[in-house]
Amino acid sequence: MTDPAACRAVLEAALADPARLDAVARQTLAAASAPTLESALRDFAAAHGAAALPVLATLAADEAARDVRRAARRALYRLSQQGVTVPAKPPRRAVVARRPEQPGRAWLSGIDGTGSRAVWVLFEGGFGGTALCSLIVNDTAGILDVAGGAITKKRLEEELKSLRASQKLPWIEVPPARAVGAVAEALAAHARLGTSPPAAFDRWKSVFEGARGLPVGAGGPRHGPPDPPTAGSPRVDLTLAERATELLALPELASWFIDPESVQSDSLALLEARESRLVVSDQIKAEREAAIVARIVERELGADGRRLWARRLDEMAFVFDATGRPEPAAIARAAAAALADESRDVTRQAFATGLARRALEIAGEVAAGRLRAADVSRKP
């Protein structure tokens, strides 16, 4: 056990040189009995007054042994009662430190005909809990809807099970960076349009900004519109691209078509051609219909439109691959590459004409009163 003389020697040495108050010196003080330590610190404070403050404050810190800490704080208190200004006690460090929230898991849905998809990002951190952010993002309008909050692992699994059972579009787990990239693209759309995300996104803004530095994994993150397929590259497999109408027959792409509202006049022209009393051959009728379709494609799928639909095809190719369907994925990539290659006549591409023909059919159903225009609008 340390005697009073040893305690005084440690304190006097620290007064002359604060670096002397190392781990060994603190152990010497901690080995003293409570009365010995109390007496030594009281005498040290009385002898040196304000000059003793640095040593006493160091010993009163959380890193010191419990008995040393208490005795030093009492010595500081006595000095304050004598009129010596004692530094304020530093705030105690939280027992559980709050870690920055970072994405741990993420999910994406396929893309519907309006360019919208669901994005789920599970953030881990805070005080050890998890929080789920659920968004609907659109490739032309940005973030359409935001919800979420704290969630348990059990509740998350229940939600995923329910979602897979009810979701009409494919639902896949992806590297968090890809989902964060999808949100970054949506925010870039807001910046271009001069609009703002829903107010509910404010709670998540900082965590997404912190997550955008994730290492680039499969497909992300991207901080602007995704690059279109490489035009004129060997990826343009015309045989596969011509099979794009097979994609439009898939349930996942049932909502993919040009906005029927934009082809109403074309639909009427097609109806008049079909119901004309003039006796014309089937070949002439087919040529007239093909001309109407070509006019729609040329008007509605300019350079921006081609890039937009090519990106959607590329994203769905990723989804098809993730769900174990390599053939639709290959067709989607080929159609995307052909669409993005501006040297190729878009009016002769199966995917583009398929979008236009489906729009004409639906516009005809609207005109006949069998569908409501609001139900088939392609506006986000």
Side-chain angles (χ1 to χ4, degrees), residues 239-249 253 313 331 335 350-352:
T239 302
L240 284 174
E242 286 304 309
R243 295 174 57 190
T245 51
E246 296 176 28
L247 295 177
L248 295 174
L253 272 63
L313 282 165
I331 295 173
F351 177 78

Side-chain angles (χ1 to χ4, degrees), residues 153-366:
K153 291 183 178 179
K154 181 179 179 181
R155 176 65 183 277
L156 174 65
E157 293 306 318
E158 291 173 351
E159 292 289 342
L160 285 170
K161 183 178 179 180
S162 173
L163 190 69
R164 292 188 183 106
S166 61
Q167 179 66 256
K168 295 180 180 179
L169 293 171
W171 188 251
I172 58 173
E173 185 163 3
V174 299
R178 191 177 188 99
V180 171
V183 176
E185 289 170 21
L187 291 173
H190 283 296
R192 291 193 303 271
L193 297 170
T195 58
S196 299
F201 185 71
D202 291 346
R203 178 258 185 265
W204 304 97
K205 182 179 178 182
S206 61
V207 291
F208 272 103
E209 287 177 347
R212 287 177 69 174
L214 284 175
V216 176
R222 295 183 297 234
H223 304 298
D227 295 330
T230 305
S233 75
R235 293 178 60 194
V236 183
D237 186 324
L238 294 180
T239 302
L240 284 174
E242 286 304 309
R243 295 174 57 190
T245 51
E246 296 176 28
L247 295 177
L248 295 174
L250 296 175
E252 296 91 336
L253 272 63
S255 64
W256 282 38
F257 45 84
I258 293 169
D259 195 337
E261 184 180 356
S262 67
V263 300
Q264 284 180 341
S265 60
D266 304 285
S267 177
L268 290 175
L270 179 61
L271 182 63
E272 290 173 359
R274 287 174 175 175
E275 296 182 352
S276 173
R277 294 183 179 181
L278 294 175
V279 179
V280 294
S281 66
D282 290 342
Q283 179 180 349
I284 293 176
K285 289 181 180 180
E287 289 173 354
R288 288 179 179 175
E289 183 169 339
I292 292 172
V293 169
R295 186 168 68 236
I296 293 171
V297 170
E298 192 170 15
R299 184 182 70 232
E300 301 296 331
L301 280 100
D304 290 342
R306 292 176 70 156
R307 284 193 291 270
L308 180 68
W309 285 101
R311 289 200 301 269
R312 292 175 180 177
L313 282 165
D314 259 353
E315 285 295 311
M316 286 305 297
F318 175 83
V319 171
F320 289 138
D321 272 335
T323 51
R325 290 177 289 175
E327 190 171 16
I331 295 173
R333 287 197 177 91
L339 200 60
D341 186 350
E342 296 186 15
S343 69
R344 300 183 183 277
D345 185 356
V346 70
T347 65
R348 296 179 178 274
Q349 295 188 30
F351 177 78
T353 57
L355 292 177
R357 289 183 184 278
R358 182 177 282 176
L360 283 170
E361 293 172 8
I362 294 173
E365 293 293 298
V366 171

